[in-house]
């Protein structure tokens, strides 16, 4: 885990990481442009991105997974940062409006339990924004970056994992098209490649970004009364 921390810290302190944070931050802020008065939890290594919403949220907390307190003190990047277990988040039920997960699920040894813990602390009308390495992207092949650590996901694999943990995907896509080479991460070049990649190879970005909500019906016992109470769901493409 400490090696993973050093990889992440070294990456975001380097020019490639700075530009990567800028490109990803643009996508994250587009997904959640307004969080006024809301409570935000960042899980994994979300500290580089939480400042995007500092002026908007009522509270933003960075929760790192499975680190010692000493390691956190050495690498702390965000004012409100804590160490948590991936299977037992130390927050009350329904305590956050938004949860951002980045550099978390792909390296977790208990991904399903982590997502269920997120389900518990997220409000019923809350949302999860999840960023993972894309199995089809070149970033998953670069083990010198945090996106080359752990298990990459295709979009379908991520949808299935979320569905198993009672989340419903609302939006899904890819981002981070410039390969992890310093010469391609100058601002103008990076912006051009990001626009071109999303237009030409929309499934091959370096990361998958998914926005999901809690599937409350999935958490209810199936009884005759609950079946009658459920509204009909439209099937896309049905005749």
């Amino acid at each position: 885990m400490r090696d993973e921390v050093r990889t992440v810290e070294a990456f975001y302190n380097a020019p490639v990481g700075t530009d990567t944070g800028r490109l990803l931050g643009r996508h994250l802020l587009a997904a959640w442009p307004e969080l006024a008065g809301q409570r935000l939890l960042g899980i994994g290594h979300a500290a580089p991105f939480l400042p995007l919403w500092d002026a908007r949220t009522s509270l933003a907390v960075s929760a790192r997974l499975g680190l010692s307190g000493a390691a956190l003190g050495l690498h702390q990047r965000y004012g409100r940062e804590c160490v948590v277990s991936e299977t037992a988040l130390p927050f009350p039920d329904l305590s956050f409006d938004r949860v951002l997960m980045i550099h978390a699920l792909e390296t977790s040894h208990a991904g399903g339990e982590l997502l269920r813990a997120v389900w518990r602390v997220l409000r019923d009308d809350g949302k999860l924004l999840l960023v993972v390495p894309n199995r089809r992207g070149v970033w998953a092949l670069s083990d010198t970056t945090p996106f080359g650590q752990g298990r990459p996901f295709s979009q379908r694999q991520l949808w299935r994992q979320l569905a198993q943990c009672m989340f419903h995907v609302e939006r899904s896509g890819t981002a981070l098209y410039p390969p992890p080479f310093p010469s391609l991460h100058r601002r103008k070049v990076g912006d051009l490649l990001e626009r071109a990649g999303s237009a030409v190879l929309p499934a091959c970005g370096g990361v998958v970004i998914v926005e999901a909500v809690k599937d409350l019906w999935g958490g209810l016992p199936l009884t005759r009364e609950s079946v009658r109470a459920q509204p009909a769901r439209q099937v896309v493409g049905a005749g």
Side-chain angles (χ1 to χ4, degrees):
M1 183 63 74
R2 292 188 179 183
D3 289 341
E4 178 192 332
V5 173
R6 283 193 286 267
T7 298
V8 174
E9 293 295 331
F11 176 76
Y12 282 108
N13 286 329
V16 172
T18 299
D19 191 64
T20 298
R22 180 182 65 82
L23 292 175
L24 281 181
R26 184 183 300 168
H27 290 281
L28 301 181
L29 199 55
W32 289 350
E34 183 54 63
L35 298 184
Q38 301 198 36
R39 297 166 65 89
L40 170 64
L41 173 64
I43 296 178
H45 293 277
F49 302 98
L50 293 182
L52 291 169
W53 297 283
D54 269 351
R56 298 169 170 85
T57 57
S58 63
L59 174 69
V61 177
S62 172
R64 295 196 177 190
L65 301 176
L67 297 176
S68 68
L72 177 61
L74 289 173
H75 299 281
Q76 188 167 358
R77 291 182 59 126
Y78 196 67
R80 294 173 295 278
E81 202 157 16
C82 60
V83 179
V84 302
S85 165
E86 60 190 75
T87 60
L89 298 180
F91 307 110
D93 294 359
L94 311 176
S95 53
F96 290 96
D97 302 282
R98 296 287 190 273
V99 174
L100 169 67
M101 286 179 63
I102 182 167
H103 306 308
L105 184 63
E106 65 271 21
T107 56
S108 172
H109 298 293
E113 293 180 65
L114 175 58
L115 287 172
R116 293 294 290 129
V118 170
W119 195 98
R120 179 184 63 79
V121 302
L122 193 61
R123 289 170 55 96
D124 288 344
D125 60 347
K127 295 187 177 184
L128 166 66
L129 196 60
L130 182 57
V131 182
V132 299
N134 182 11
R135 182 173 293 278
R136 295 184 176 182
V138 297
W139 284 80
L141 304 176
S142 175
D143 58 7
T144 60
T145 79
F147 301 101
Q149 313 300 313
R151 172 197 174 192
F153 290 80
S154 68
Q155 292 192 65
R156 289 186 180 277
Q157 288 172 332
L158 190 56
W159 300 343
R160 284 196 297 267
Q161 176 98 36
L162 287 166
Q164 290 169 1
C165 297
M166 299 199 310
F167 280 97
H168 172 71
V169 173
E170 288 199 326
R171 290 191 291 178
S172 178
T174 65
L176 197 55
Y177 291 90
F181 307 132
S183 61
L184 299 180
H185 279 268
R186 297 167 184 164
R187 180 178 289 265
K188 290 184 178 180
V189 176
D191 290 348
L192 177 61
L193 291 176
E194 189 72 6
R195 290 194 299 270
S198 62
V200 178
L201 297 170
C204 296
V207 298
V208 175
I209 302 179
V210 165
E211 185 180 45
V213 296
K214 294 170 72 169
D215 184 355
L216 297 177
W217 293 114
L220 294 175
L222 189 61
T223 64
R224 291 183 178 181
E225 288 73 18
S226 65
V227 170
R228 284 197 294 267
Q230 291 186 38
R233 295 187 179 183
Q234 181 179 2
V235 180
V236 177

